[in-house]
Amino acid sequence: MIKQIIAFFICILLYAATVSAQSAVATPAENLKTKWFREARFGMFIHWGLFAQHAGTYKGKKYYGISEWLQERAKIPAKEYEKFAAEFNPVDFNAAQWVSFAKASGIKYIVITAKHHEGFAMFKSMVSAFNIVDATPYKKDPMKELAAECKKAGIRLGFYYSQFQDWHEPNGGGNDWDFDNTKKDYPVYYATKAIPQIKELLTNYGDLGLIWFDTPGDMTQEQSKEFLKKVKDWQPNCLVSSRVGNGLGDYTDFGDGEVPAGVVKGPWEAIFTHNDSWGYSSFDNNFKTPKEIIRLLTTISSKGGNLLLNIGPMANGKIPDLSQKYFLETGKWLIKNGQSIYGTTCSLIKPQPWGVTTNKPGKLFIHIFQSPLNGKITIPVKGLTLHSVYWLSNKKPVAAAMKSTGLQLQLPPLLPDTRDAVVVVEYSGTMVENYDTPEVWSRQYPEFYLLPDYATVKGNATISTVTYSHYFGDWKHAVCIKNLQSPTDEVSFEIQVKEKGDYKITLEYAADKNSEGEEGILEIAGQQFPFQVLKTGEYDEWKPLSWIRQTVAILSVTQPRLYTLKIKPARAGRELFNLKRIIAEPVE
Ligand code: JFZ
């Protein structure tokens, strides 16, 4: 019970952070300030602190999940935790190496934890002796060196600063195992530690790209405003992340590991960690492969945002081998294909079975993740005059023609890159935003998906993000169709079926006992396919969410044409499910 109550409060704390920055139309001055950020597309997050020392293990016990929360999870008293500093000695830290690694990985900005929730300053501070220079045998300020190297390399530097949670301070947020929450005076903490330390960061390290605040928790609107104002007083051009709280900030951060549905206007960033933990964890091996990173970066760019991808260096200052290897591999891809990422703007069409697109004036970048069997793809754009069409990586031409149905490409049997092969289309004419084209079903792909992002919803049905986690704090997100409760709540898709034949239709969803046994109907081509919802597990955002793939229909198409697929409840009742996607497979 106590565990649940605590979990509940942590939830509230974390959730207070999901608020996004105000997306009112940006003024020219604001546009100028965020220009570098909007063009950067790829940043490196670094979570480094005393937590790296323990790497997820404390007193022989392994804490699976995000390692920088060790103090909270093991309820280590602040006085005890303080002693960790005496052993922290990152003798292998080399700022020049870190920055050249970032540069070779194609990184345009770095955001590093200057102070995480543990309260330990990774920089020299006159405000609190709990800092790397005064409390460790290392005695040096790594942030100084990093700032100097970033400046040399032309990489923007940002500092993460936990402005509300500080588990070291009696008046800081979060630590209720040492300090009574009801007796806390947060304004005292802001005035005596947080704001003075932010001043140090903004006045001692040269020009900063941004301050990355986090978990605003109990902060009031006034307090968030004050933090924002202080940053601008000291560095007017320094950007502030939306996690300063209360809808403020210069750009939007989504939840940890969350890619928003569809295209998002205004500057924003998706944050992911390379494996599952932000801080170094010696037993977290779930590293994203180069292919996964490249596709994630491309997908986020196509939605108009940046990817801030995290690494967790070890206590000695070494970056984990697999992070080095896979970031550098991504960098190699970016050396050849970076033009299709940096400085691009969002896609003007929805994702296609073959991949996604990004744009620059007069240039359309076609990112091919998967080629159809016959190599023919049609991009739903109209009226362009083609000048040249070629592979970005080797400049070799690609056969292309403007047809009434769109821009047609003939791809070779082997793509130049299996992760993301980029075709550049140089054109004149105007490409207009059009997300309203039908989905394409074709026998040229082994399977393809209908995603919630561009679904049409009616009644109470919504397109919403469902959050869950695996071990602890390693959040996962899935955009789902939700709230299908009565026959007037409906989700539908327009589908252009290209070839005749049978198509197997499968729903991928999660449902708990509240939905178990509810009946739904999938409707297509005048046929009704009823199905019953199966329970996949109880929903708890702190637990894994199980997804089921349930085949509910086989559609026999005798006439290739436009079809409408609908899903709705058979009768009024409880919510059907969290529908993640619909999978269609041509029957062979
Ligand atoms: C926070 C931190 O607690 C965590 O240690 C890490 O630094 C991460 C980048 O940020 O965790 C959060 C904050 C906000 C949400 C989830 C986790 N959120 O809004 O869903």
Side-chain angles (χ1 to χ4, degrees), residues 14 17-18 47 68-69 116-117 160 214-215 243 256 278 475:
L14 294 180
T18 48
H47 273 65
E68 72 283 4
W69 274 68
H116 203 265
H117 310 332
Y160 170 112
D214 198 9
T215 61
R243 290 191 185 179
D256 303 7
W278 300 88
W475 304 104

Side-chain angles (χ1 to χ4, degrees), residues 286-313:
N286 187 18
F287 291 98
K288 289 165 191 67
T289 62
K291 175 169 155 179
E292 289 168 326
I293 298 173
I294 291 165
R295 290 190 178 181
L296 187 61
L297 176 61
T298 302
T299 302
I300 290 167
S301 298
S302 79
K303 287 166 179 256
N306 291 353
L307 167 62
L308 183 62
L309 186 61
N310 177 76
I311 54 163

